[in-house]
Amino acid sequence: MRRRDFLKWQLAGAACLATGFGLSSVSDANQAPAAWPDVAIAKGDPAKAVRAAVDALGGMGRFVKAGQKVVIKPNMSFARAPELATNTHPLVVREVLVMCKEAGAAKVRVLDHSLQDPEQALVLSGIRDACDSVEPGICHHLMDNSFYQEASLPDAVEMRTNAFMKDVLEADVLIAVPVAKAHGSAGVSLAMKGQMGLIWDRKVMHGRYSLDVSLADLAQRLKPQLSIIDATRVLTTGGPGGPGKIITPGEVIASADPVAADATAVASYEWYGRVMQPRQVAHIRLAHARGIGRMDIEKLRTQRMSV
Amino acid sequence: MRRRPAFRSANSGRRLAQGLSLLFFLYLLWTMRAAGSGCLPDWLPPDLYLRLDPLAAFAVPVAMREIIPPLLPGLGVALLALLFGRIFCGYICPFGATLDLARFLGARRPAKRRDPSPGHEVPAATPRVWHGGKYLLLAALLAAAALGVNAVFAASPIPLITRFYATFILPLAQLAGKQGLDLLRPAADSLHLDALSYAQLAVRRFDALFFILVFFGALLTLEHFRPRFWCRCLCPAGALLALFSRRPPWRRRVSRCTGCGQCREHCPTGAIDASVFHTDHRECIACRRCEAVCPGVTRFSFTSSRGHEGRGPLTDGAGRRARARSGLPGRRQFLQAGLAGAGCAACSLLGLDSLQQPAAIGLIRQAALLRPPGAVPEEDFLRLCLRCGACMQACPSNGLQPTYFAAGVAGMFSPVLVPRRGPCEANCNACGQVCPSRALRRLPLDEKQRAKLGAAVVLPKKCLAWEQDRRCVVCQEVCPYGAISLRPEPGRQVPVPFVKPQRCFGCGACECHCPVESPAIVVEALGALRLRTGSYIEAARDAQLVLELEPKDAIHLLPGGEALPDGALPPGFTE
């Protein structure tokens, strides 16, 4: 993926030099591809920050083409109100949904697979109402195994098979929209960890396989094209369900590379009052080693903005 | 024989009332799932029919030695029998309606026009002496109640029929619905009917179904051979109403009798005797079939008809001359039945049936028994609980299940929480809202959240983190009360879970979601709070419990409140 990008940028740069014009993407972003950062961090109002961060990456049109099927994966599994930072902020999810529709997506779904009572979670998180205000009936917890289909993970080291949501297997674009929070066994629950909500059998990832290895296996199979981490409020202790210490940086982190997005979130905030390095989260380290993404964010281009 | 127009009006009127009553009963049962959500007005409780059970209204206060206000309407039904006889049995009782429905559905369609229509065949007779069985059963149950043992649940119609529908019929209907949805889903997808393609139906499952299957299977089968056998010979609530129905003002009255005897033949309870004028109103359930088949004039009314024509004796002939044989057993039989009931109750109290029964005098409480939140102390609980299954119907996680013998014979079919099936949801108080006898107290949500059920215990030899050094702690993830803390343990690479019993409600979310096949964390009834009266919030405070969903000390660094030791890594992080 990186090599393709690199070549694209070289060609674009050459074209710029030849024609003297800047190449613009399908959306109305006016930055050249060569100027797209690897990670964008926008600070401000939740909806505006999301839009600014995605626009900095080239706009939603870079990720979603007209007529495509999109699955948005937020965190909405806990029956807690938004300010408790265990679910993605509803306005963040809503803005992502709006942007997908603006880019011309034919079918957008907001899906998750809750561990506990799905109805309470959808109501108390505020996410279903937020989605219904844009398009009713697309936000669901899929609790019935008839929505899932067995599929293989051919590049996996340990977890070589599982059942995935049929909507995800058919989707063209997968967008991860997690909330930034700590996790008692994985360290943090961000874009990579969030993909666990799209499969049927999670127990095997603890019981039969090593959690970190199976998370990396999953990230290889279900790599989101766009990761938007909601750090408007961050649950820094007691995650993933709380209660815990909540800080409110008011930021949104976006990247086409889920590992880089996760790494940025780990490095940007204090977890349990400590400054931690991305390499200290085992599944991020493994994903970097396998080439799924990059955790060496100091070598990547990060653009910060305020809205 | 010419069909009278009255056939349609009297019998159809009754069938309409009966059908509406059954539908209303099922609607109330359905609303129990949404108990507390305000879909019913305050004056219309979902457990309405259970409160109308006359037997429970008599027996439970006797067993408890005190008045149970929610059950008082049942006394009203008994008093209603003074005026209207056993109209409850014919018009209102959902058990009777179910029996009639089963008979109607199973009846053979008439081959000839002149044959009686389905449900109107001549019913086979039962020996009159069998009809005394219900009185004997009533005597036994009341005697047991006098000794403080509630055995009413074994034979009381409304709780039984509630459990029949809640634990058997409704789950069957859900199963059928789920299969239907699964079949329709591909079609709905291609037609872009999103509401249908994402519709999901959770199928409930209940324990102790074998009893329901055998009991109702036998009764519903028997219905085709001896209609209303239950009502005639077994139902103790019917027997109670019968005792009040010796001669109600609203009763069967005959005026123009042709002597054809059709009424006697068609009466499903055998209430009409040879003289056809005299009705044993105790047995009559006011189904009015006699009215339907009578070529003369038979009416159910408060007054006798005017203008007597015809050959038979005048009016209803319930005079002193025509004393029919009564189905009432003799005094000695009543006494024997009472002694039998008392004897069973005494056995139950002494715990001869089970060594583990908590309510028996001086025996060990069984630790694994998790009662629903707000359950009164066990002795009173067993007396109050009608085993109706309303709490099980209301429980959103399907965790409340009937038990066979976990609570002894006296506790059969009473509700226990099975966390592995479903936890006690932290934001729910539905079970207490629907319990008709207040065996489960009706608690506001903040009180319920302090009605501790028990405490979770980690079994380290089975735990993935403790025993196998693996990353898990799903228990900590799902605990709504923050009762599980993670600590670094010397010699282990991963954090391990510890339960703080003072913060644990005993909801069982941990046990439910533990990925180990035989859970490595289990909830037992340790430190459970069970109060007959008084505030759970205060009791929890007195017991030094911290049962908060969002504790004020949430800003502590580790769940459970310990600080991260210097040099230790946050849970889940590595070097």
Side-chain angles (χ1 to χ4, degrees):
Chain A
M1 196 59 192
R2 276 197 59 241
R3 199 181 303 164
R4 209 183 299 163
D5 274 342
F6 180 74
L7 282 173
K8 244 199 271 179
W9 295 339
Q10 294 303 319
L11 281 172
C16 283
L17 287 173
T19 63
F21 285 106
L23 260 172
S24 57
S25 61
V26 177
S27 79
D28 53 8
N30 51 15
Q31 274 186 325
W36 289 337
D38 298 301
V39 178
I41 309 177
K43 189 180 173 87
D45 165 80
K48 291 190 188 141
V50 170
R51 191 170 280 271
V54 175
D55 283 347
L57 292 178
M60 189 58 87
R62 172 184 163 193
F63 306 99
V64 177
K65 309 292 181 233
Q68 286 191 316
K69 299 180 198 160
V70 183
V71 169
I72 298 173
K73 168 65 182 66
N75 283 131
M76 54 185 191
S77 289
F78 289 93
R80 307 282 180 126
E83 54 271 15
L84 292 171
T86 50
N87 297 316
T88 313
H89 199 292
L91 295 176
V92 167
V93 180
R94 188 181 181 284
E95 196 63 22
V96 175
L97 179 56
V98 165
M99 288 196 284
C100 287
K101 297 200 81 67
E102 285 171 0
K107 177 175 162 185
V108 188
R109 297 286 181 262
V110 178
L111 302 173
D112 200 352
H113 179 189
S114 167
L115 209 49
Q116 309 194 72
D117 182 7
E119 183 60 27
Q120 289 261 328
L122 286 173
V123 167
L124 282 171
S125 64
I127 291 179
R128 183 166 63 189
D129 282 343
C131 293
D132 282 353
S133 71
V134 178
E135 184 183 342
I138 57 156
C139 176
H140 299 282
H141 272 295
L142 300 183
M143 309 296 287
D144 193 317
N145 69 345
S146 50
F147 290 103
Y148 294 78
Q149 191 175 318
E150 283 288 334
S152 65
L153 292 84
D155 303 315
V157 172
E158 288 190 5
M159 185 168 76
R160 306 191 70 84
T161 177
N162 209 314
F164 295 78
M165 288 181 181
K166 288 178 188 167
D167 284 294
V168 169
L169 293 173
E170 291 165 4
D172 301 302
V173 184
L174 180 59
I175 303 179
V177 191
V179 66
K181 56 185 179 177
H183 193 283
S185 59
V188 290
S189 174
L190 301 164
M192 285 179 62
K193 179 77 173 60
Q195 304 313 295
M196 266 177 95
L198 299 175
I199 61 175
W200 178 250
D201 187 359
R202 281 77 60 91
K203 290 190 173 183
V204 289
M205 290 175 74
H206 296 290
R208 194 181 304 164
Y209 311 120
S210 154
L211 181 65
D212 308 315
V213 175
S214 52
L215 276 173
D217 290 341
L218 190 61
Q220 243 175 328
R221 179 67 175 82
L222 283 188
K223 187 174 166 187
Q225 281 85 349
L226 172 60
S227 304
I228 303 170
I229 299 183
D230 169 18
T232 54
R233 59 265 179 284
V234 178
L235 184 66
T236 63
T237 77
K245 177 165 189 233
I246 300 168
I247 60 174
T248 50
E251 293 175 342
V252 172
I253 301 170
S255 176
D257 176 352
V259 184
D262 283 6
T264 308
V266 170
S268 300
Y269 313 111
E270 284 192 359
W271 304 92
Y272 286 84
R274 309 276 165 89
V275 173
M276 306 304 294
Q277 301 301 316
R279 60 166 176 74
Q280 287 181 291
V281 176
H283 62 266
I284 295 180
R285 194 169 64 237
L286 275 175
H288 174 93
R290 289 201 210 173
I292 300 170
R294 293 184 58 179
M295 69 175 181
D296 49 345
I297 49 177
E298 63 280 1
K299 300 199 182 115
L300 299 175
R301 289 194 46 216
T302 303
Q303 182 179 340
R304 292 180 176 271
M305 63 211 81
S306 270
V307 293
Chain B
M1 209 136 351
R2 183 173 63 85
R3 288 262 183 271
R4 294 188 73 243
F7 157 61
R8 269 181 278 280
S9 63
N11 220 337
S12 326
R14 181 191 78 92
R15 283 177 187 276
L16 188 64
Q18 200 185 35
L20 285 176
S21 178
L22 184 61
L23 284 175
F24 186 50
F25 168 75
L26 291 174
Y27 171 70
L28 290 177
L29 202 60
W30 178 79
T31 63
M32 284 183 190
R33 280 300 312 280
S37 77
C39 54
L40 285 178
D42 282 333
W43 50 266
L44 193 61
D47 54 332
L48 177 69
Y49 278 81
L50 290 158
R51 298 204 209 174
L52 293 177
D53 187 331
L55 179 62
F58 272 87
V60 173
V62 167
M64 285 292 294
R65 322 274 195 256
E66 63 185 67
I67 304 204
I68 313 288
L71 293 178
L72 284 176
L75 292 179
V77 169
L79 292 175
L80 192 74
L82 284 174
L83 289 175
F84 288 92
R86 282 175 72 179
I87 193 176
F88 182 84
C89 304
Y91 279 67
I92 305 174
C93 179
F95 201 119
T98 305
L99 291 174
D100 283 348
L101 184 65
R103 189 169 72 251
F104 180 78
L105 290 175
R108 278 168 286 129
R109 292 289 169 263
K112 297 187 208 131
R113 258 202 52 185
R114 284 178 57 189
D115 283 353
S117 50
H120 289 293
E121 318 83 8
V122 174
T126 35
R128 208 55 196 280
V129 72
W130 287 14
H131 289 211
K134 57 183 185 291
Y135 300 103
L136 297 178
L137 191 51
L138 176 67
L141 291 176
L142 288 177
L147 260 86
V149 173
N150 175 1
V152 152
F153 65 87
S156 196
I158 314 289
L160 279 169
I161 199 72
T162 308
R163 220 164 78 230
F164 174 67
Y165 280 105
T167 64
F168 181 55
I169 296 295
L170 289 185
L172 266 184
Q174 283 171 333
L175 195 61
K178 179 180 188 308
Q179 303 290 15
L181 277 179
D182 284 349
L183 284 173
L184 286 175
R185 199 163 285 129
D189 273 338
S190 44
L191 291 173
H192 300 292
L193 295 168
D194 290 338
L196 195 57
S197 49
Y198 287 103
Q200 299 170 71
L201 202 56
V203 178
R204 321 267 280 164
R205 295 175 59 175
F206 290 100
D207 196 5
L209 277 183
F210 189 69
F211 168 80
I212 296 277
L213 286 174
V214 168
F215 182 85
F216 280 95
L219 277 180
L220 294 177
T221 314
L222 203 55
E223 187 64 18
H224 295 293
F225 304 104
R226 297 282 189 274
R228 290 276 193 152
F229 184 82
W230 168 260
C231 310
R232 293 190 226 181
C233 305
L234 291 174
C235 182
L240 191 61
L241 292 179
L243 290 176
F244 280 80
S245 303
R246 200 184 145 273
R247 194 176 145 85
W250 187 84
R251 61 178 184 270
R252 175 177 175 268
R253 298 168 193 272
V254 185
S255 54
R256 265 181 285 160
C257 178
T258 59
C260 65
Q262 286 294 306
C263 55
R264 180 167 31 94
E265 276 186 47
H266 282 264
C267 174
T269 56
I272 302 172
D273 83 331
S275 79
V276 303
F277 281 93
H278 186 252
T279 321
D280 187 348
H281 300 289
R282 287 197 202 92
E283 298 299 310
C284 172
I285 57 169
C287 74
R288 301 171 77 166
R289 203 188 294 181
C290 52
E291 213 171 319
V293 301
C294 178
V297 175
T298 298
R299 276 195 351 257
F300 274 76
S301 65
F302 281 106
T303 56
S304 22
S305 49
R306 296 188 212 100
H308 313 298
E309 292 156 22
R311 287 171 289 165
L314 298 175
T315 64
D316 60 3
R320 288 124 204 117
R321 249 181 307 156
R323 274 203 53 150
R325 294 182 336 266
S326 161
L328 275 176
R331 199 174 305 168
R332 178 186 287 187
Q333 285 172 306
F334 263 118
L335 211 56
Q336 285 172 339
L339 281 174
C344 290
C347 286
S348 175
L349 283 174
L350 287 173
L352 289 174
D353 54 329
S354 156
L355 288 172
Q356 286 179 317
Q357 196 206 85
I361 306 157
L363 290 185
I364 303 165
R365 171 193 284 271
Q366 191 183 74
L369 199 65
L370 289 175
R371 288 291 188 199
V376 298
E378 189 70 6
E379 272 198 68
D380 284 341
F381 182 81
L382 291 176
R383 288 189 195 113
L384 284 168
C385 178
L386 297 176
R387 328 301 152 95
C388 63
C391 56
M392 303 169 204
Q393 168 72 356
C395 177
S397 71
N398 200 198
L400 288 183
Q401 298 280 329
T403 178
Y404 273 126
F405 296 111
V409 169
M412 275 179 81
F413 311 119
S414 61
V416 296
L417 180 69
V418 179
R420 199 65 171 160
R421 176 78 200 131
C424 179
E425 299 278 350
N427 285 304
C428 168
N429 60 349
C431 52
Q433 307 297 310
V434 297
C435 177
S437 60
R438 304 285 182 263
L440 303 179
R441 284 175 61 190
R442 176 175 289 192
L443 297 171
L445 195 57
D446 54 352
E447 286 277 329
K448 179 261 171 181
Q449 285 166 347
R450 275 85 183 176
K452 185 178 164 94
L453 308 184
V457 177
V458 176
L459 305 175
K461 287 294 180 193
K462 290 203 251 186
C463 175
L464 294 172
W466 275 100
E467 179 69 8
Q468 299 182 36
D469 219 6
R470 302 171 76 121
R471 296 189 182 284
C472 182
V473 295
V474 176
C475 48
Q476 180 263 342
E477 207 177 303
V478 298
C479 176
Y481 290 86
I484 299 187
S485 68
L486 304 176
R487 288 183 217 157
E489 183 76 1
R492 283 183 181 76
Q493 304 297 317
V494 303
V496 289
F498 281 78
V499 176
K500 299 215 88 175
Q502 301 300 94
R503 301 186 84 110
C504 177
F505 177 83
C507 69
C510 49
E511 184 180 339
C512 183
H513 296 287
C514 177
V516 185
E517 292 86 339
S518 164
I521 182 166
V522 291
V523 182
E524 303 201 349
L526 308 169
L529 285 179
R530 295 176 67 172
L531 309 172
R532 186 78 215 279
T533 54
S535 161
Y536 277 96
I537 298 179
E538 280 174 22
R541 203 181 3 214
D542 292 342
Q544 316 288 328
L545 299 175
V546 181
L547 292 170
E548 314 261 352
L549 288 181
E550 280 124 52
K552 290 167 191 49
D553 55 354
I555 60 168
H556 283 208
L557 293 177
L558 274 175
E562 301 89 30
L564 197 60
D566 286 331
L569 287 167
F573 284 81
T574 63
E575 286 301 337

